[in-house]
């Protein structure tokens, strides 16, 4: 196989390119259609071009915006997408746009793109898919309303996610009880997926002779999920809080956020047609056979009780330990990593490698925070080098034994007073933003002036471009620095800096500019 030797190397170790709206897909099964490739990108925005290199099992997919491409890569980093039961690998391309006008064999790709955009804009009714019954009407909602009758076994959000994921990418789910009935609203990426799911599942039993699904299209066209917990979930937003008074997710479940592939068979996200769905204690819900249907899906019994089983493989979703590489060994410290990664979660332990000081392990409070930190910090510049973060194969950071020489490179921060997310439902959950050149400062005492703060940042080696106090609250301010790298280094240096009068400066990345 032509690209056999480098495929292993590719999977994790090739340095990722900088973000681009063009994505490079590898290991594509040879019989995959243009529409199936496009379907990987659809949940994240408009797909504007496609180039298939079938001989090389590769393709290039161009999204309308870089933002859509970044969301797509972040979504598929913890969960490898599958086409025709085969894992497909996605990374940013070196190309900034796809120019395919003069290439041969582009007619099919262009036809597929036009068909998809026609369906998306509602100008074309999709004549019924595999079984030719019914059509998707223009303007039909991607949101389904699901009522479950004869509820003899508990049906969890996970179970619904697993069943409905067989028909396409599920973006959001909200569950609630109304008129003494367990109900759910479920939003797909595309009305076409909702159409097939309703066709295949309406009236089916989840378990033998009970838990009957009654499915209708909702009048809503989009769901607004405020909290990620066992009642509601937004699979495109890993950063939502669990919400006050809600039972917080058990760690293994939080780990599976945004990861429809974890508990399901390797068919997750395949062609999107109905598999037969079987449960350990039941042979209910056998979906009528559809041409090209996939093998039976068994849900692990742990999923039925609402816990997701996550295998302890290496570098897996569900791990809360990050491997951070390409650090500047002369300038990085465990405390610096604690402060920086602490912007995205509570850091429990940090270990800089004794023999290779440009590498470190950072243990976060849970897998969700690890994922968030990885998404926001990997690819950022720190002390002149581009930092890389991936999930580690280690499940925890070990502390050195008594008397073992460590040079102070391993630190336990689990009892630090500086954790930002200790309080459930803390406001800090709503203020998690990617690194930016503008920093949000708070906890400023009344006697500290603009010049005091500017000088503080200048002494830390920054160039200050702009500064302003909040009009309503002079305890807070925004400061704009010369670059994102400067801002990252200033945050490490000056977060918790003692300003006197028992005030310690709090520094965060801001979504605003001055």
């Amino acid at each position: 196989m032509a690209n056999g030797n480098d495929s292993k190397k590719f999977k994790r170790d090739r340095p990722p390119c900088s973000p681009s709206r063009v994505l490079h897909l590898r290991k594509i099964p040879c019989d995959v259609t243009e529409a199936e490739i496009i379907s990987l990108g659809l949940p994240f925005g408009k797909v504007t071009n496609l180039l298939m290199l079938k001989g090389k099992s590769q393709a290039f997919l161009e999204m309308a915006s870089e933002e859509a491409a970044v969301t797509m890569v972040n979504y598929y980093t913890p969960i490898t997408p599958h086409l025709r039961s085969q894992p497909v690998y996605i990374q940013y391309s070196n190309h900034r746009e796809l120019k395919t006008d003069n290439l041969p064999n582009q007619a099919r790709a262009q036809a597929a793109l036009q068909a998809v955009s026609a369906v998306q804009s509602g100008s074309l009714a999709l004549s019924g898919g595999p079984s030719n019954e019914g059509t998707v009407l223009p303007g039909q909602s991607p949101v389904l309303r699901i009522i479950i009758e004869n509820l003899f076994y508990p049906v969890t959000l996970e179970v619904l996610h697993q069943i409905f994921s067989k028909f396409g990418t599920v973006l959001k789910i909200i569950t609630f009880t109304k008129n003494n009935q367990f109900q759910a609203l479920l939003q797909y990426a595309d009305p076409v997926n909702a159409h097939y799911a309703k066709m295949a599942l309406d009236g089916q039993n989840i378990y033998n002779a009970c838990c009957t699904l009654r499915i209708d299209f909702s009048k809503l066209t989009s769901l607004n999920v405020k909290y990620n917990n066992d009642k509601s979930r937004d699979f495109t937003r890993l950063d939502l809080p669990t919400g006050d008074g809600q039972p917080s997710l058990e760690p293994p479940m939080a780990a599976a956020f945004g990861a429809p592939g974890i508990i399901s068979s390797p068919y997750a996200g395949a062609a999107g047609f109905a598999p037969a769905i079987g449960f350990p204690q039941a042979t209910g819900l056998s979906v009528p056979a559809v041409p090209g249907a996939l093998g039976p899906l068994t849900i692990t019994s742990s999923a039925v009780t609402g816990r997701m089983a996550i295998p302890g493989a290496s570098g897996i979703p569900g791990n809360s330990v990050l491997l951070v590489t390409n650090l500047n060994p002369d300038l990085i410290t465990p405390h610096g990593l604690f402060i920086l990664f602490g912007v995205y979660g509570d850091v429990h332990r940090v270990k800089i490698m004794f023999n290779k000081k440009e590498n470190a392990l950072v243990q976060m409070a849970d897998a969700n925070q690890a994922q968030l930190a990885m998404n926001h910090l990997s690819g950022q510049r720190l002390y002149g080098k581009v930092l890389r973060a991936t999930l580690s194969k280690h499940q925890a950071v070990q502390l050195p034994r008594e008397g073992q020489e460590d040079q102070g490179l391993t630190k336990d921060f689990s009892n630090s007073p500086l954790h930002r997310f200790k309080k459930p439902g803390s406001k800090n959950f709503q203020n998690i933003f990617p690194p930016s050149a503008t920093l949000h400062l708070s906890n400023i005492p009344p006697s500290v002036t603009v010049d005091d703060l500017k000088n503080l940042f200048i002494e830390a080696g920054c160039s200050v471009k702009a500064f302003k106090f909040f009009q309503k609250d002079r305890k807070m301010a925004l400061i704009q620095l010369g670059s994102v790298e400067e801002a990252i280094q200033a945050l490490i240096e000056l977060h918790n800096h003692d300003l006197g009068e028992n005030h310690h400066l709090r520094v965060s990345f801001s979504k605003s500019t001055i």
Side-chain angles (χ1 to χ4, degrees):
M1 182 175 136
N3 58 354
N5 306 342
D6 60 348
S7 62
K8 275 196 193 67
K9 193 171 86 212
F10 159 76
K11 191 168 170 186
R12 282 277 179 239
D13 306 345
R14 283 188 26 183
C17 305
S18 62
S20 159
R21 68 192 183 103
V22 180
L23 299 172
H24 180 205
L25 286 69
R26 297 174 40 123
K27 295 297 201 76
I28 290 168
C30 55
D31 51 352
V32 153
T33 64
E34 283 79 0
E36 283 171 90
I37 302 278
I38 294 169
S39 72
L40 290 176
L42 276 183
F44 308 99
K46 191 170 164 60
V47 177
T48 47
N49 209 346
L50 170 70
L51 175 62
M52 304 268 279
L53 304 174
K54 285 206 166 157
K56 292 185 170 170
S57 311
Q58 297 181 22
F60 290 93
L61 192 70
E62 179 187 88
M63 303 299 288
S65 70
E66 188 177 296
E67 191 182 6
V70 170
T71 309
M72 179 170 165
V73 169
N74 287 349
Y75 183 88
Y76 287 132
T77 301
I79 34 155
T80 307
H82 288 68
L83 289 175
R84 310 261 170 137
S85 318
Q86 308 262 341
V88 173
Y89 300 107
I90 299 180
Q91 68 186 74
Y92 298 117
S93 165
N94 291 321
H95 301 287
R96 298 288 133 191
E97 61 177 316
L98 276 186
K99 293 200 169 64
T100 55
D101 303 350
N102 305 326
L103 295 175
N105 308 326
Q106 268 297 292
R108 283 181 55 176
Q110 293 310 314
L113 285 163
Q114 278 162 5
V116 166
S117 65
V119 171
Q120 276 187 320
S121 59
S123 62
L124 174 79
L126 242 207
S127 56
S131 54
N132 276 334
E133 45 176 303
T135 56
V136 177
L137 302 168
Q140 188 168 291
S141 170
V143 179
L144 294 175
R145 191 189 59 163
I146 302 154
I147 295 176
I148 298 178
E149 298 173 348
N150 310 322
L151 190 70
F152 298 144
Y153 288 104
V155 172
T156 62
L157 187 144
E158 270 60 59
V159 168
L160 290 175
H161 184 243
Q162 182 145 20
I163 294 168
F164 283 83
S165 286
K166 298 298 114 188
F167 298 87
T169 305
V170 174
L171 299 187
K172 302 169 189 177
I173 303 178
I174 298 172
T175 63
F176 53 95
T177 303
K178 187 177 173 186
N179 307 336
N180 287 335
Q181 282 183 313
F182 179 73
Q183 302 194 18
L185 291 167
L186 181 144
Q187 181 179 343
Y188 275 110
D190 193 297
V192 174
N193 307 124
H195 174 76
Y196 285 138
K198 179 179 185 301
M199 242 165 54
L201 297 175
D202 190 22
Q204 296 285 345
N205 294 334
I206 297 181
Y207 305 112
N208 263 353
C210 73
C211 302
T212 310
L213 290 165
R214 299 278 173 230
I215 303 172
D216 275 306
F217 290 105
S218 168
K219 292 190 177 66
L220 299 169
T221 52
S222 178
L223 299 179
N224 181 15
V225 174
K226 293 194 174 68
Y227 301 111
N228 278 333
N229 53 40
D230 53 3
K231 303 278 189 294
S232 62
R233 193 79 52 85
D234 182 337
F235 293 94
T236 65
R237 291 276 311 275
L238 303 186
D239 54 333
L240 292 178
T242 55
D244 282 330
Q246 288 286 359
S248 72
L249 296 172
E250 300 197 340
M253 208 167 92
F257 263 21
I262 290 179
I263 51 169
S264 49
S265 61
Y267 305 127
F273 300 138
I277 299 181
F279 286 76
Q281 70 270 54
T283 51
L285 198 55
S286 56
V287 174
V290 173
L294 305 165
L297 153 75
T298 53
I299 289 192
T300 53
S301 52
S302 62
V304 176
T305 60
R307 285 205 188 93
M308 295 206 168
I310 293 175
S314 67
I316 48 159
N319 195 353
S320 59
V321 180
L322 295 170
L323 170 64
V324 185
T325 55
N326 204 35
L327 295 164
N328 183 327
D330 303 324
L331 295 172
I332 202 65
T333 63
H335 181 261
L337 289 170
F338 163 68
I339 295 291
L340 177 58
F341 280 76
V343 172
Y344 299 106
D346 291 340
V347 176
H348 284 194
R349 291 180 180 176
V350 176
K351 180 192 277 300
I352 293 177
M353 304 299 195
F354 189 78
N355 296 327
K356 195 164 192 240
K357 294 193 173 64
E358 54 267 25
N359 291 359
L361 294 173
V362 176
Q363 182 176 339
M364 307 295 289
D366 63 40
N368 195 25
Q369 296 180 359
Q371 188 64 50
L372 210 56
M374 180 170 96
N375 289 352
H376 283 304
L377 294 175
S378 195
Q380 296 291 345
R381 290 185 76 82
L382 173 61
Y383 303 129
K385 301 188 70 169
V386 176
L387 172 156
R388 295 282 169 225
T390 54
L391 291 174
S392 166
K393 63 178 186 291
H394 297 285
Q395 298 289 311
V397 169
Q398 301 298 324
L399 294 175
R401 291 187 300 280
E402 284 293 318
Q404 187 182 357
E405 175 51 48
D406 177 63
Q407 295 178 357
L409 294 175
T410 307
K411 287 271 195 286
D412 184 90
F413 294 101
S414 45
N415 296 320
S416 166
L418 296 186
H419 289 309
R420 294 177 190 241
F421 305 100
K422 265 262 163 67
K423 288 192 198 121
S426 150
K427 271 222 174 69
N428 293 339
F429 281 106
Q430 289 146 43
N431 293 317
I432 295 177
F433 301 113
S436 57
T438 305
L439 294 172
H440 178 275
L441 311 179
S442 58
N443 206 26
I444 302 165
S447 61
V448 169
T449 65
V450 174
D451 287 342
D452 292 336
L453 288 164
K454 282 186 174 176
N455 289 335
L456 183 66
F457 280 82
I458 290 165
E459 282 162 25
C462 304
S463 52
V464 176
K465 300 289 184 206
F467 181 95
K468 77 166 190 208
F469 276 113
F470 277 56
Q471 275 179 325
K472 290 191 180 129
D473 185 354
R474 219 185 146 283
K475 293 202 282 295
M476 298 197 290
L478 294 177
I479 188 164
Q480 192 175 331
L481 304 178
S483 66
V484 177
E485 183 178 5
E486 269 187 29
I488 291 174
Q489 286 159 210
L491 181 136
I492 290 173
E493 189 99 355
L494 296 174
H495 178 63
N496 202 45
H497 179 83
D498 189 349
L499 293 172
E501 300 175 46
N502 208 9
H503 281 65
H504 286 80
L505 183 65
R506 292 183 55 82
V507 185
S508 312
F509 297 117
S510 170
K511 68 172 188 296
S512 318
T513 51
I514 302 173

